[in-house]
Amino acid sequence: MTNFRIGFGYDMHRLTEGRELWMGGIKLDFEKGLQGHSDADVLIHTICDALLGAANLRDIGFHFPDTSEEFSGVDSKVLLERTVALLRKKGFEIGNVDATICAEVPKMNPHIPQMQQKLSEVMGVNIDSISIKATTSEKMGFVGRQEGITAYAVALIYKF
């Protein structure tokens, strides 16, 4: 009997001057970056939460608290690698991830194939198992005012 589980993740970070913009494990050329304790890669944080939620392992803040110096400025790919290790320790494998980035700027679509490649490498899954989409908020709310970026993800995990 196969055990399938689905998890959902959501995250948001403020755009700010003086920071690099990391999204999906790659650095984007943009004049602002996302504010956060780590590199603030909102897409990876969202995927971590979706995976952790599916495995009933709480959330990213529980495992990698923003009060810990160990995670200050950390590359979010490290958090994703550790998340995948937690899942596999519990006997789960990743079926697929479906994520959406919501940003007015910069345009995300040109970078999606590179993000998919990087995430597939970090997670040890086929690139076809990672779907990333991009949208805007039609100039509404804090994303529409170019104050921040949000991301959403669902993940399917399984064990036999």
Side-chain angles (χ1 to χ4, degrees):
M1 178 178 204
T2 307
N3 182 4
F4 292 100
R5 293 187 180 190
I6 299 171
F8 172 77
Y10 168 75
D11 198 21
M12 68 173 76
H13 285 278
R14 178 181 305 276
L15 279 166
T16 186
E17 301 285 341
R19 298 263 306 183
E20 295 178 341
L21 180 58
W22 287 88
M23 189 68 59
I26 65 169
K27 183 180 171 192
L28 303 183
D29 186 24
F30 191 63
E31 65 267 10
K32 293 182 179 180
L34 294 171
Q35 185 64 45
H37 186 67
S38 66
D39 66 6
D41 188 323
V42 70
L43 179 58
I44 286 183
H45 295 182
T46 298
I47 291 170
C48 286
D49 266 347
L51 293 168
L52 290 166
N56 194 22
L57 288 168
R58 305 211 33 194
D59 60 38
I60 192 171
F62 177 80
H63 292 280
F64 316 111
D66 64 5
T67 55
S68 169
E69 279 304 308
E70 177 185 359
F71 304 114
S72 179
V74 71
D75 181 336
S76 291
K77 291 185 294 292
V78 171
L79 305 181
L80 183 55
E81 287 171 346
R82 291 187 184 184
T83 296
V84 171
L86 287 168
L87 259 66
R88 291 191 171 132
K89 183 177 179 184
K90 203 169 174 182
F92 288 103
E93 285 298 325
I94 298 166
N96 74 298
V97 171
D98 182 23
T100 302
I101 305 164
C102 187
E104 295 292 330
V105 290
K107 293 296 180 194
M108 297 291 164
N109 274 318
H111 308 287
I112 287 175
Q114 190 179 358
M115 290 180 206
Q116 288 174 298
Q117 181 62 45
K118 181 59 66 178
L119 292 172
S120 74
E121 292 167 8
V122 172
M123 296 180 354
V125 298
N126 187 294
I127 194 169
D128 197 43
S129 298
I130 301 168
S131 169
I132 302 171
K133 302 171 305 296
T135 190
T136 68
S137 65
E138 300 294 330
K139 302 196 182 333
M140 296 182 290
F142 80 96
V143 171
R145 292 187 301 270
Q146 301 178 14
E147 296 171 6
I149 297 175
T150 63
Y152 308 82
V154 291
L156 175 71
I157 62 172
Y158 65 91
K159 65 176 156 181
F160 291 99

